[in-house]
Amino acid sequence: MKKLTRTLVLLLTVSTIFSCSKNESVSTSDLRTVEDIIADFQNLVVQPGINDFALETLVNDTYWNFRVVAPADASANNLRPLVIDLHGASGGSPSAHKNTECYVETGLQALNAFVISPNAGFDEWYDSSNQQQILALVDLAKSNWHIDPNKVIITGYSNGGNGSWFYADYYPEFFSAAIPMASSYDPERGTGEVPEITVPMYVIHGEDDELFPVETTEAFVNKSRDAGTSIEFVIAPGLGHLDVCDYASYLADAVTWVQTEVWN
């Protein structure tokens, strides 16, 4: 199996050194190697359906917790897509990554994909610790499972929707499409620049979202469109921010869009 890309090795190493410099309790004797992570990932037993894993990181006794929903028929002759699903909210809920049933599994059913749902811990999705986790999991999965490397999607709800937009923005080489849901992500840089995001996006937003007003999200969509980003913007009539499960049918529509408009 392939090892992690040079980009991932560098990201892992730099992030770990940075983390250790902020936390004097982590000594060099507590550090593992990239090869340790690869070996542990390859030893995961992935069964069709739901699998919950804890993968030890480069620091001993520190883990990435994530759920994998695996297809039954993946093989060397039947490579499957990969979807990274970022959960909503933040604050360190140990079970946040397990909330996949009501809209993720249902909405993505037609895709028959590998789905990885990581746990953000106490950090935000854009923090370096989670950038390390998500990009490493994508690379590990593509290198060790029967995955089509050209069919990798990033999606998420609420805070996870913002995260999915962020990864499409900053790491376009990892993803072929992004599906932010109930999000509010300002694409403008601190310099005032709005870059073109090269990853095609399908943004879904509830008409009656109380936390992220639809007008604000629509303004961000238009700002990004004006910069050249390809975005399909869908407003879900009557949906508020807490109507998470009702997004399933809209996510299914997004899957059809990916299959017919992006991967076709």
Side-chain angles (χ1 to χ4, degrees):
M1 295 295 182
K2 296 180 293 182
K3 292 188 176 181
L4 293 179
T5 64
R6 292 183 180 180
T7 301
L8 256 298
V9 172
L10 180 61
L11 176 64
L12 285 164
T13 304
V14 171
S15 297
T16 301
I17 291 173
F18 179 72
S19 297
C20 292
S21 68
K22 296 193 299 180
N23 186 355
E24 296 179 357
S25 65
V26 178
S27 67
T28 55
S29 63
D30 292 322
L31 297 181
R32 287 158 32 90
T33 67
V34 171
E35 286 71 25
D36 291 331
I37 294 178
I38 294 171
D40 289 347
F41 189 89
Q42 291 175 343
N43 286 330
L44 297 178
V45 179
V46 181
Q47 302 288 350
I50 293 175
N51 308 260
D52 291 322
F53 296 117
L55 182 69
E56 195 167 14
T57 69
L58 285 175
V59 178
N60 285 332
D61 298 323
T62 302
Y63 294 85
W64 293 326
N65 295 290
F66 57 98
R67 166 165 287 186
V68 175
V69 184
D73 58 350
S75 70
N77 296 319
N78 185 34
L79 300 180
R80 305 313 310 151
L82 170 65
V83 179
I84 303 298
D85 167 57
L86 307 182
H87 64 74
S90 58
S93 169
S95 61
H97 62 293
K98 298 179 181 180
N99 297 325
T100 59
E101 182 178 1
C102 80
Y103 74 98
V104 176
E105 294 174 48
T106 302
L108 298 176
Q109 188 172 10
L111 201 57
N112 193 30
F114 284 93
V115 180
I116 297 179
S117 175
N119 192 301
F122 289 98
D123 297 328
E124 298 294 340
W125 285 120
Y126 52 76
D127 287 340
S128 61
S129 59
N130 279 319
Q131 292 181 49
Q132 180 189 100
Q133 174 183 199
I134 291 166
L135 301 183
L137 288 175
V138 169
D139 215 29
L140 284 163
K142 290 195 302 182
S143 299
N144 293 282
W145 299 343
H146 296 302
I147 287 171
D148 186 333
N150 298 312
K151 294 183 177 181
V152 182
I153 298 172
I154 183 92
T155 188
Y157 191 90
S158 188
N159 186 42
N162 294 341
S164 64
W165 202 322
F166 169 87
Y167 285 94
D169 189 356
Y170 284 90
Y171 296 101
E173 67 274 22
F174 282 83
F175 306 101
S176 61
I179 309 173
M181 295 175 283
S183 62
S184 187
Y185 179 87
D186 189 346
E188 185 173 326
R189 302 285 195 263
T191 59
E193 175 194 9
V194 180
E196 176 186 357
I197 299 174
T198 57
V199 176
M201 300 177 64
Y202 192 102
V203 178
I204 310 168
H205 205 85
E207 179 184 37
D208 298 329
D209 193 306
E210 313 88 343
L211 184 61
F212 299 144
V214 65
E215 296 82 7
T216 302
T217 297
E218 186 170 20
F220 292 152
V221 165
N222 290 334
K223 187 186 295 188
S224 199
R225 278 175 170 168
D226 289 343
T229 303
S230 175
I231 301 180
E232 295 287 332
F233 183 51
V234 175
I235 297 176
L239 293 193
H241 197 77
L242 299 181
D243 297 324
V244 182
C245 297
D246 293 327
Y247 271 74
S249 63
Y250 293 96
L251 181 56
D253 290 341
V255 166
T256 300
W257 167 81
V258 171
Q259 293 173 316
T260 58
E261 301 296 329
V262 180
W263 293 343
N264 188 9

